[in-house]
Amino acid sequence: EEGADLNNCVIGVRSRIGRGAVVRNTIILGADRFETGADRGANRAAGRPNLLIGEGSLIEGAILDKEVRIGRNVRLVNKRGVMDDEGENYVIRDGVVAIPRGTVIPDGTEI
């Protein structure tokens, strides 16, 4: 969307990147389908992010598998600089943040 800043990325099919999002050195595998306006309305009602990257998010040095939902103002940057780690909705291997298929990352999350 408008104002998204992409640098050194591989972007898969049916990817949506929100307004003002910054994505650097990242691989995004995309989605198997597009969400309709009705789907996005249902997401809002359920408090669930839309497919892929929300507005104002910063994604750097990451791999996002298919069907990932990244909320608004999320920061996926390996802020602790760790080489290996695991959390409920991510793994870090060799310093790269990887988000598994179908994972939902809520608004404002920082990894």
Side-chain angles (χ1 to χ4, degrees):
E1 293 189 23
E2 185 178 330
D5 180 11
L6 307 171
N7 186 355
N8 198 33
C9 297
V10 176
I11 309 294
V13 297
R14 292 175 289 279
S15 294
R16 288 184 59 102
I17 300 169
R19 187 171 291 127
V22 176
V23 184
R24 297 183 193 120
N25 304 317
T26 294
I27 298 171
I28 302 171
L29 296 181
D32 291 330
R33 64 187 178 86
F34 283 113
E35 286 186 316
T36 65
D39 292 334
R40 290 189 296 275
N43 291 339
R44 273 191 304 280
R48 175 180 54 233
N50 294 326
L51 278 175
L52 294 179
I53 300 172
E55 292 180 9
S57 291
L58 170 61
I59 315 295
E60 190 165 13
I63 300 171
L64 309 182
D65 204 344
K66 280 186 165 184
E67 306 293 317
V68 169
R69 296 172 183 272
I70 307 291
R72 293 181 173 137
N73 302 307
V74 168
R75 295 179 52 85
L76 301 180
V77 296
N78 189 3
K79 71 178 185 173
R80 293 178 290 140
V82 298
M83 291 304 290
D84 294 294
D85 191 21
E86 290 186 29
E88 180 180 328
N89 51 9
Y90 71 94
V91 297
I92 297 174
R93 295 292 181 260
D94 296 327
V96 176
V97 177
I99 307 298
R101 183 181 183 116
T103 298
V104 176
I105 306 290
D107 293 351
T109 299
E110 291 189 15
I111 297 174

